[in-house]
Amino acid sequence: DAKTTQPTSMDCAEGRAANLPCNHSTISGNEYVYWYRQIHSQGPQYIIHGLKNNETNEMASLIITEDRKSSTLILPHATLRDTAVYYCIVQNRLYGNKLVFGAGTILRVKS
Amino acid sequence: EAGVTQFPSHSVIEKGQTVTLRCDPISGHDNLYWYRRVMGKEIKFLLHFVKESKQDESGMPNNRFLAERTGGTYSTLKVQPAELEDSGVYFCASSQADTFASLPEAFFGQGTRLTVV
């Protein structure tokens, strides 16, 4: 599985956009980029995923660079409830659908 | 629609005892996964069912762990005998069948916190 690199932690002011980077320089052509988050004491929660194109849903936007070696998850208006650990995961159909979690980024949204 | 349900939410057992964790996936989800997080470590994959069949059990730590999925519905994960290092949070997740277009997202349960003393 391709490896991902994320900053250990980030802070964001409430109401501002949170931009969480992820490096996946060894990603291969058939691998998707997925983002999950885990709010304290809960199970991981799916946020968004993409292959090549930028994606947007009701939770977030995903920006993938043209060479696909990095991506950014954007929470447009962060709230205190967005404080969580955010995981960037590269997933390959060849290896089934199992998720390989790294350490993730601890996002602290502050008022 | 009910989400992924795990039972119990907490379990405290003595070393050497047996514990069985249960997971009820979202109805109609063919894929069922077990993960766990032990203290201070990352969430690790344990195994993957497609319906009632084990697709991938490469993450099962040893033969003290036994997972089953009866009739392709709910799943159980039995630890026998439990050891101290088995303490952690066990997560179950389910997802729909794969499509050509994309890998479906996984929906996680709240987890079972297992403490072995």
Side-chain angles (χ1 to χ4, degrees):
Chain A
D1 293 336
K3 302 295 185 184
T4 62
T5 304
Q6 299 178 249
T8 303
S9 64
M10 294 180 64
D11 290 339
C12 177
E14 187 178 21
R16 303 297 294 270
N19 296 276
L20 292 90
C22 178
N23 183 288
H24 32 79
S25 58
T26 59
I27 193 170
S28 61
N30 58 354
E31 291 180 318
Y32 291 80
V33 179
Y34 278 72
W35 283 83
Y36 282 78
R37 73 180 181 183
Q38 186 178 22
I39 297 171
H40 182 62
S41 298
Q42 298 182 20
Q45 176 191 25
Y46 165 81
I47 302 173
I48 198 167
H49 74 279
L51 182 63
K52 296 180 183 178
N53 300 322
N54 298 337
E55 302 287 345
T56 296
N57 64 20
E58 64 279 4
M59 289 182 67
S61 295
L62 174 60
I63 308 299
I64 303 174
T65 58
E66 191 170 344
D67 63 7
R68 302 209 323 125
K69 293 186 176 182
S70 66
S71 61
T72 301
L73 176 74
I74 300 172
L75 307 179
H77 304 287
T79 70
L80 299 178
R81 289 189 298 271
D82 292 321
T83 293
V85 181
Y86 287 77
Y87 299 98
C88 170
I89 299 169
V90 171
Q91 197 167 13
N92 188 331
R93 185 186 298 275
L94 291 178
Y95 298 106
N97 293 344
K98 69 182 181 184
L99 298 169
V100 180
F101 288 87
T105 295
I106 300 170
L107 175 67
R108 301 184 190 90
V109 180
K110 299 182 176 182
S111 58
Chain B
E1 179 183 319
V4 177
T5 305
Q6 293 187 243
F7 181 84
S9 57
H10 294 82
S11 180
V12 180
I13 62 170
E14 293 184 351
K15 175 182 174 181
Q17 289 187 323
T18 297
V19 63
T20 300
L21 313 181
R22 173 168 169 146
C23 169
D24 287 80
I26 293 173
S27 177
H29 280 191
D30 287 345
N31 295 297
L32 188 148
Y33 309 83
W34 285 97
Y35 294 83
R36 77 171 179 177
R37 163 178 266 151
V38 295
M39 184 65 71
K41 300 290 183 64
E42 296 163 2
I43 299 172
K44 294 291 187 184
F45 166 82
L46 295 179
L47 90 160
H48 171 206
F49 285 99
V50 177
K51 297 184 179 179
E52 67 276 7
S53 300
K54 293 177 184 175
Q55 181 78 10
D56 179 356
E57 49 185 333
S58 62
M60 294 289 264
N62 52 60
N63 59 10
R64 294 185 294 102
F65 289 75
L66 175 64
E68 294 179 325
R69 189 178 183 193
T70 307
T73 56
Y74 69 91
S75 175
T76 58
L77 180 64
K78 180 190 291 187
V79 185
Q80 178 182 29
E83 298 290 343
L84 299 179
E85 64 264 25
D86 300 332
S87 296
V89 182
Y90 290 76
F91 293 104
C92 175
S94 71
S95 69
Q96 294 178 328
D98 292 3
T99 67
F100 176 78
S102 182
L103 298 173
E105 65 265 30
F107 294 84
F108 282 77
Q110 295 289 74
T112 293
R113 180 173 296 278
L114 174 65
T115 303
V116 182
V117 297

